[in-house]
Amino acid sequence: MDPMQHYRLCTVTYGMAPSPFLAVRVLKQLAIDYEAKYPLAARVLARDTYVDDIPTGCNSVGEHMKLKDQLILLIDEGNFKLRKWSSNSWSFLKSIPKEDCLHGHASIEDNVKILGIPWNPGRDELLVNTPMIATKQAFSKRALLSDLSKVFDPLGFVAPTTVLLKLIFQECWFSAISWDDPIPETLRRRWQAIVKELPLLSHCRISRYIAASSPHIELSGFADASTQAYGAVIYSRVLTTNGYRSRLVAAKT
């Protein structure tokens, strides 16, 4: 097994609760009530549940299988059923009924979404979801803010690009125009030029796994600011048998 491999699973829960938020409370209570009986599953359920997703992972296929079995039994204690399983381990997916897998037993190369972020299990990479933004609409502050909010990037993978859009929006405020008035022509051309190239970001690939089996893991943070903007970024730095390896963790502008 590749020493840098980390087996990832993602499940979606569905049950008898009237809302996902109430379901989370029920799942948390299940983790407390059955911690002694299902210790692995209880820890994951308490730590990794987000709304109706359980994004978590293991360092070996054997641990992966054991966690899966405990999760199924623990969830069943509350009359819930785990569905839409996805993983970067083919042997793991084959151990689950086809109808309970997100893409059946077709492939692990099909992209899935983890809390809204595209993920390719086969390559174990996160992708950038760039929306198609119309360039012929009325250009106003309201329209610009609407376009900017369509770029869903909670981890800041494309922060160097979105900060350019934020700077244009900032200049609109300095122009003292109302929400629905046309923005200055110079700003409109700059906005259109960036939006036109946004689809190119879909080619970006970010490694999901940022740690390693080695205990030598560092988090390095950098920040800078100017009169126009500020930014911060965090990288993981891991000691491997081939030297140090760095991975992007998150960024903010």
Side-chain angles (χ1 to χ4, degrees), residues 167 224-231:
L167 288 175
D224 202 359
S226 70
T227 56
Q228 291 182 305
Y230 65 87

Side-chain angles (χ1 to χ4, degrees), residues 9-16 27 30 41 44-45 49 51-56 64-86 92 96-102:
L9 65 89
C10 173
T11 62
V12 180
T13 62
Y14 291 87
M16 304 300 293
L27 294 178
L30 282 174
V44 165
L45 210 58
T49 302
V51 189
D52 58 356
D53 287 330
I54 309 175
T56 190
H64 212 177
M65 296 291 191
K66 187 175 181 180
L67 175 59
K68 175 204 66 174
D69 293 339
Q70 285 198 17
L71 275 172
I72 291 174
L73 292 172
L74 176 53
I75 291 294
D76 188 59
E77 298 284 0
N79 291 320
F80 284 81
K81 179 180 175 61
L82 289 173
R83 298 177 62 250
K84 297 188 178 180
W85 293 80
S86 182
F92 173 83
I96 299 172
K98 180 179 179 180
E99 61 272 15
D100 290 336
C101 295
L102 184 59

Side-chain angles (χ1 to χ4, degrees), residues 135-150:
T135 57
K136 294 183 179 180
Q137 60 175 323
F139 285 89
S140 62
K141 281 199 303 186
R142 190 184 305 277
L144 299 194
L145 184 59
S146 174
D147 285 349
L148 186 56
S149 65
K150 293 175 183 176

Side-chain angles (χ1 to χ4, degrees), residues 127-204:
L127 293 78
V128 176
N129 188 15
T130 53
M132 294 299 296
I133 298 177
T135 57
K136 294 183 179 180
Q137 60 175 323
F139 285 89
S140 62
K141 281 199 303 186
R142 190 184 305 277
L144 299 194
L145 184 59
S146 174
D147 285 349
L148 186 56
S149 65
K150 293 175 183 176
V151 183
F152 183 68
D153 182 36
L155 296 178
F157 292 149
V158 295
T161 297
T162 53
V163 71
L164 299 177
L165 297 175
K166 293 177 183 178
L167 288 175
I168 297 174
F169 187 70
Q170 182 186 69
E171 290 185 46
C172 290
W173 285 99
F174 295 149
S175 300
I177 58 177
S178 68
W179 275 99
D180 296 305
D181 287 341
I183 66 174
E185 181 64 18
T186 55
L187 297 183
R188 184 190 66 81
R189 288 199 298 266
R190 284 169 54 193
W191 187 275
Q192 283 183 306
I194 297 174
V195 166
K196 184 179 180 180
E197 296 186 350
L198 275 181
L200 296 176
L201 295 175
S202 62
H203 299 292
C204 293

